[in-house]
Amino acid sequence: MDEQNPDIQAARAKLFAKFDSRMGGKGTQRRKVKAKNTGVVIADDKKLQGQFKKMGLNPIPGIEEVNMFTDKNEVIHFKDPKVQASLQANTYAISGSSETKTLQEMLPKVISQLGSENLQSLRKVMEAHAAKEGQKAEDDIPDLDDATDFESISKDVEVD
């Protein structure tokens, strides 16, 4: 019976309208701000440092860059890394931001760091590059063969 009464229906509608339009004010619930989770990274770093200490890794200061050479003629380049090492166990830990570059990009800087395998692969790359350049050079310059008329020859040659 109560649900059929129009007065009760009107009162309920008025009450619902009052709750919907209220934004803030006395008696409203405060907005909760979630804290950012920056502590997880710091905790992981502390755990990692603890493991490094157990392994006997000690920091090595003064290293400006680290280059790691891959089989694909690429160089993983670390600038201003954090290096830790255990010389007895021949174990190294390198941390920091890295970039992967081709061997040709890093060539003038890393020529003294290359091993025999990398030097041979570099030689193969350079020979292939020289063969391509030699082929281009042959294609670029036409043979004149005792001809003195340069204009007729230049019309025959296609310009790229």
Side-chain angles (χ1 to χ4, degrees), residues 104 107 121-137:
Q104 287 81 9
L107 191 58
S121 65
L122 178 63
R123 184 177 295 134
K124 289 177 185 176
V125 169
M126 295 302 283
E127 288 172 357
H129 185 65
K132 284 183 182 178
E133 288 297 320
Q135 186 178 11
K136 280 187 178 179

Side-chain angles (χ1 to χ4, degrees), residues 47-57:
K47 287 181 183 178
L48 190 61
Q49 294 301 324
Q51 290 298 322
F52 286 163
K53 288 293 179 191
K54 285 181 183 178
M55 293 172 60
L57 295 175

Side-chain angles (χ1 to χ4, degrees), residues 68-81:
M68 298 173 71
F69 299 95
T70 64
D71 294 337
K72 300 176 184 175
N73 291 333
E74 292 177 343
V75 179
I76 301 172
H77 176 72
F78 292 87
K79 186 169 182 159
D80 296 325

Side-chain angles (χ1 to χ4, degrees), residues 1 27 34-35 45-46 48 55 57 67 72 81 84 89 93-94 104-105 111 126 131 133-134 142-143 152 154 160:
M1 275 192 178
K34 290 187 178 181
D45 192 37
K46 286 182 180 179
L48 190 61
M55 293 172 60
L57 295 175
N67 295 317
K72 300 176 184 175
Q84 296 176 327
I94 302 168
Q104 287 81 9
E105 290 177 47
I111 194 79
M126 295 302 283
E133 288 297 320
D143 293 331
S152 64
S154 66
D160 292 334

Side-chain angles (χ1 to χ4, degrees), residues 25-39:
K26 188 176 178 182
T28 60
Q29 192 174 23
R30 289 186 182 171
R31 191 181 128 214
K32 295 180 183 176
V33 178
K34 290 187 178 181
K36 293 183 180 177
N37 255 351
T38 56

